């Protein structure tokens, strides 16, 4: 048994359990945080009845969701419809494999870690499309189509922004990228790339002001209109887990990962730095959501194709030239 | 950025899951067991590829076709993973599942509405499709048999991302250019198609 405890399989199983538990807990906390932030921004209090500060509200909501009937519309595609929520949630979990929480707290420090996260994000879009289309509902289909268009448009500047960081470090490995920011965080060296990354990440996670795939006021609830109970819950889980992952990637690419600012650690352990920065970024994303109105579809497309892509290309070229000259 | 092919002494399973420190004890750790696990993984990946490919061809529902194609391409990525090249596998996912499949989804949006009745399969079209794919299949099989295959570890010890990049821009730059030409044709085709539908509707 001793050898089993030390083996890769044991690591794999423990890692999986921790990741699953963490992603649920994270979603529970983020839903609560979102409602609190929204409340305070709109001069309300937010949830306060269940538990201290309403902290247990999401657990109550979760139990309610689990208890609800799973309704499948009569004209829905009965093969894809039940699978879609699972398909949305699965690729999101892969991201946890390579996130560098602390110097020794990486499940697998792959040399192509950055690629891994972005390669699997494509599956989420296909799953959203499958979900929206299989509902056989015009609002759901419109939401799904918008999601695909938006994803294609924002994936390009996102990858170009990440590429300029990769170019500087000369590695796709998260630990290398974080180590390279020991003195100065990349947000100070690559402010344009960081800004582009944050904007595109907000768009990739379908959050306001880029939430046209859901757009409550025009599309009911967008691609997940027809989903009920825990199927709907899975879409929500995926969204909040995704938000954590894009923020964590931003933390490690631009905000120094597990390190303190300018090489000062202040004796705080790496994981605390990492999670603190990640949750601050998540808070910023929420803050943006409750502050700005939704963009119109054509504005959204123009912003990406006519502004962000040229800007990120220019940033990449300037980075390459400067690196060559130094 | 080291993505070297591992030596022969490691079993396939170690290459697939990247297992280090495999001890000899326990059911999982037995080299024979890992080898058969690798076999199972291989056949699952092959099954995914073929299942996806048939989903891409046979159903009369264009969305099933696209998702089937995505599955088949992901299966091919699994094959690269099985061969020990994580980088190529991820690039396959990023480019084919991420970009190509999603652009096909765009093409579907430009095509006839999904709720209309699907037209019947026309025999000449099907025959032509089968003939075209047969020509390609026979060509690929012919090339496979004519090539004298040398295992990758014998040809070079360095299969890092850097080495692949150098080869793409020197030895194989014709292939690289042809691929970009294909993409250019695809983009022009998309612009022309979109332009036609716009003109017809306005």
């Amino acid at each position: 048994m001793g050898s089993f405890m030390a083996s890769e399989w044991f690591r794999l199983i423990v890692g999986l359990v921790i990741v699953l538990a963490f992603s649920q807990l994270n979603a529970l906390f983020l839903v609560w945080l979102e409602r609190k932030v929204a409340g305070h921004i709109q001069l309300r209090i937010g949830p306060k009845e269940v538990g201290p500060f309403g902290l247990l509200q999401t657990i109550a909501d979760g139990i309610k969701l689990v208890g609800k009937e799973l309704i499948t519309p009569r004209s829905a595609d009965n093969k894809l419809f039940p699978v879609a929520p699972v398909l949305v949630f699965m690729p999101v979990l892969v991201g946890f494999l390579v996130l560098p929480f602390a110097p020794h707290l990486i499940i697998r420090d792959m040399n192509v870690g950055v690629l891994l996260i972005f390669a699997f994000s494509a599956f989420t879009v296909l799953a959203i499309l499958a979900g929206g289309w299989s509902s056989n509902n015009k609002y759901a289909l419109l939401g799904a189509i918008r999601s695909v268009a938006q994803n294609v448009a924002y994936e390009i500047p996102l990858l170009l922004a990440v590429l300029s960081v990769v170019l500087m470090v000369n590695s796709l490995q998260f630990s290398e990228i974080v180590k390279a920011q020991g003195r100065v965080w990349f947000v100070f060296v690559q402010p344009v790339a960081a800004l582009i990354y944050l904007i595109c990440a907000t768009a990739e996670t379908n959050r306001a002001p880029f939430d046209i795939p859901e757009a409550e006021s025009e599309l009911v609830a967008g691609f997940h209109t027809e989903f009920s109970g825990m199927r709907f819950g899975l879409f929500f889980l995926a969204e909040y887990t995704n938000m954590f992952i894009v923020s964590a990637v931003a933390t490690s690419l631009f905000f120094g990962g597990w390190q303190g600012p300018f090489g000062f650690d202040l004796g705080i352990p790496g994981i605390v730095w990492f999670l603190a920065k990640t949750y601050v970024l998540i808070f910023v994303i929420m803050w943006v959501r409750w502050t700005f109105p939704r963009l119109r579809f054509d504005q959204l497309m123009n912003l990406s194709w006519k502004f962000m892509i040229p800007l990120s290309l220019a940033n990449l070229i300037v980075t390459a030239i400067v690196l060559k000259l130094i | 950025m080291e993505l070297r092919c591992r030596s022969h002494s490691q079993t396939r399973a170690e290459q697939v899951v990247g297992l280090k420190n495999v001890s000899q004890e326990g059911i999982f750790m037995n080299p024979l067991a890992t080898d058969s696990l690798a076999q199972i993984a291989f056949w699952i990946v092959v099954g995914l590829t073929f299942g996806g490919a048939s989903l891409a061809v046979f159903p009369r529902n264009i969305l099933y076709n696209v998702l089937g194609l995505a599955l088949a391409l992901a299966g091919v990525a699994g094959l690269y993973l099985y061969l020990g090249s994580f980088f190529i596998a991820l690039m396959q996912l990023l480019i084919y599942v991420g970009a190509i499949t999603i652009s096909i989804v765009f093409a579907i949006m430009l095509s006839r509405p999904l709720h209309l009745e699907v037209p019947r399969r026309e025999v000449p079209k099907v025959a032509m499709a089968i003939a075209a794919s047969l020509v390609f299949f026979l060509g690929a099989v012919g090339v496979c048999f004519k090539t004298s295959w040398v295992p990758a570890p014998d040809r070079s010890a360095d299969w890092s991302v850097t080495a692949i990049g150098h080869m793409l821009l020197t030895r194989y730059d014709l292939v690289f250019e042809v691929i970009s030409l294909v993409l250019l044709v695809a983009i022009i085709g998309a612009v022309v198609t979109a332009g036609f539908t716009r003109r017809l509707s306005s």
Side-chain angles (χ1 to χ4, degrees), chain A residues 171-221:
Chain A
S171 170
L172 290 164
Q173 195 165 0
F174 269 117
S175 58
E176 294 286 318
I177 294 175
V178 172
K179 272 176 206 150
Q181 302 174 65
R183 282 282 159 71
V184 184
W185 294 354
F186 280 153
V187 66
F188 301 115
V189 191
Q190 289 276 6
V192 181
L195 191 66
I196 290 174
Y197 178 88
L198 282 179
I199 294 174
C200 294
T202 320
E204 289 272 300
T205 44
N206 296 334
R207 292 186 58 85
F210 304 103
D211 65 338
I212 53 158
E214 293 178 35
E216 310 90 339
S217 49
E218 20 185 314
L219 292 184
V220 191

Side-chain angles (χ1 to χ4, degrees), chain A:
Chain A
M1 203 56 203
S3 72
F4 179 72
M5 294 281 279
S7 71
E8 279 294 306
W9 285 93
F10 181 71
R11 256 181 75 142
L12 206 74
I13 293 165
V14 169
L16 259 174
V17 170
I18 291 177
V19 161
L20 276 173
F22 179 77
S23 64
Q24 313 288 319
L25 209 70
N26 169 62
L28 282 180
F29 172 66
L30 286 188
V31 171
W32 171 83
L33 186 69
E34 173 109 61
R35 293 177 65 177
K36 272 286 184 197
V37 169
H40 283 281
I41 285 178
Q42 296 170 346
L43 298 180
R44 297 181 285 115
I45 306 174
K48 71 180 184 71
E49 291 294 333
V50 192
F53 306 106
L55 263 170
L56 301 177
Q57 179 67 49
T58 335
I59 296 182
D61 289 348
I63 294 171
K64 181 199 74 178
L65 274 181
V66 172
K68 271 190 163 180
E69 185 191 356
L70 295 176
I71 300 167
T72 310
R74 196 183 301 138
S75 55
D77 186 294
N78 53 11
K79 286 183 216 73
L80 273 181
F81 189 79
V83 190
V86 185
L87 283 182
V88 166
F89 187 57
M90 291 244 285
V92 177
L93 281 182
V94 176
F96 280 102
L97 264 182
V98 289
L99 284 182
F101 289 96
H104 298 290
L105 210 67
I106 313 174
I107 297 181
R108 194 166 279 285
D109 192 16
M110 288 178 191
N111 48 14
V112 285
V114 177
L115 262 184
L116 184 92
I117 285 187
F118 295 111
F120 276 89
S121 71
F123 283 102
T124 312
V125 192
L126 281 177
I128 285 179
L129 178 79
W133 178 83
S134 65
S135 317
N136 206 356
N137 170 317
K138 61 184 167 203
Y139 298 118
L141 181 63
L142 272 174
I145 288 174
R146 285 176 173 195
S147 165
V148 173
Q150 179 177 330
N151 187 277
V152 170
Y154 281 85
E155 185 124 319
I156 303 168
L158 180 83
L159 287 176
L160 289 175
V162 171
L163 212 58
S164 34
V165 170
V166 170
L167 211 62
M168 287 182 64
V169 185
N170 239 328
S171 170
L172 290 164
Q173 195 165 0
F174 269 117
S175 58
E176 294 286 318
I177 294 175
V178 172
K179 272 176 206 150
Q181 302 174 65
R183 282 282 159 71
V184 184
W185 294 354
F186 280 153
V187 66
F188 301 115
V189 191
Q190 289 276 6
V192 181
L195 191 66
I196 290 174
Y197 178 88
L198 282 179
I199 294 174
C200 294
T202 320
E204 289 272 300
T205 44
N206 296 334
R207 292 186 58 85
F210 304 103
D211 65 338
I212 53 158
E214 293 178 35
E216 310 90 339
S217 49
E218 20 185 314
L219 292 184
V220 191
F223 57 88
H224 53 63
T225 302
E226 294 287 357
F227 290 89
S228 62
M230 209 46 212
R231 282 181 186 155
F232 165 77
L234 272 176
F235 276 109
F236 243 68
L237 259 178
E239 181 180 327
Y240 281 98
T241 312
N242 226 334
M243 218 162 102
F244 178 83
I245 287 189
V246 293
S247 306
V249 170
T251 303
S252 25
L253 289 183
F254 297 106
F255 295 92
W258 63 71
Q259 298 169 116
F262 306 108
F264 298 117
D265 261 352
L266 308 176
I268 299 171
I271 179 142
V272 177
W273 274 117
F274 186 86
L275 288 179
K277 285 183 223 171
T278 306
Y279 282 108
V280 166
L281 281 178
I282 291 176
F283 173 73
V284 171
I285 294 179
M286 284 178 178
W287 185 5
V288 168
R289 169 171 178 181
W290 296 102
T291 308
F292 292 105
R294 181 180 311 124
L295 286 177
R296 222 170 48 217
F297 192 76
D298 56 321
Q299 293 170 329
L300 184 96
M301 288 293 135
N302 281 346
L303 177 68
S304 172
W305 291 104
K306 293 185 181 164
F307 181 67
M308 306 266 274
I309 292 179
L311 188 66
S312 53
L313 265 177
N315 186 56
L316 184 64
I317 292 169
V318 169
T319 309
I321 291 173
V322 169
L323 281 179
K324 199 75 198 166
L325 290 180
I326 291 174

Side-chain angles (χ1 to χ4, degrees), chain B residues 10-190:
Chain B
Q10 275 179 311
T11 58
R12 279 259 163 68
E14 288 168 46
Q15 293 182 359
V16 174
V17 241
L19 294 180
K20 286 173 225 145
N21 325 319
V22 179
S23 65
Q24 301 292 315
E25 295 163 58
I27 334 160
F28 291 133
M29 302 311 132
N30 183 333
L32 263 178
T34 37
D35 218 32
S36 59
L37 265 182
Q39 286 284 326
I40 294 169
F42 175 75
W43 287 111
I44 287 175
V45 165
V46 169
L48 274 183
T49 313
F50 274 99
S54 41
L55 264 182
V57 176
F58 294 117
R60 302 302 329 265
N61 180 331
I62 196 146
L63 214 99
Y64 273 38
N65 299 148
V66 172
L67 293 177
L69 186 65
L71 191 66
L73 294 171
V76 174
L79 280 179
Y80 291 138
L81 203 63
Y82 182 78
L83 294 172
S85 184
F86 216 94
F87 176 71
I88 307 271
L90 288 180
M91 278 323 243
Q92 165 86 10
L93 285 184
L94 195 67
I95 295 170
Y96 285 91
V97 182
I100 305 275
T101 322
I102 289 187
S103 358
I104 294 176
V105 173
F106 263 110
I108 294 174
M109 291 177 208
L110 294 174
S111 72
R112 50 189 289 127
L114 289 168
H115 56 83
L116 294 184
E117 205 185 326
V118 189
R120 293 172 59 88
R121 278 198 202 275
E122 292 168 35
V123 180
K125 267 190 184 171
V126 173
M128 261 152 57
I130 289 176
S133 33
L134 210 65
V135 167
F136 181 76
F137 180 73
L138 290 178
V141 168
V143 170
C144 277
F145 277 113
K146 281 196 88 172
T147 314
S148 50
W149 296 97
V150 185
D154 296 349
R155 273 185 289 155
S156 162
D158 180 22
W159 293 104
S160 60
V161 180
T162 326
I164 294 173
H166 277 299
M167 281 215 278
L168 258 186
L169 292 177
T170 52
R171 169 85 173 77
Y172 297 101
D173 66 346
L174 182 68
V175 184
F176 192 66
E177 290 298 321
V178 169
I179 293 173
S180 26
L181 203 67
V182 170
L183 288 180
L184 183 69
V185 170
I187 291 169
I188 294 175

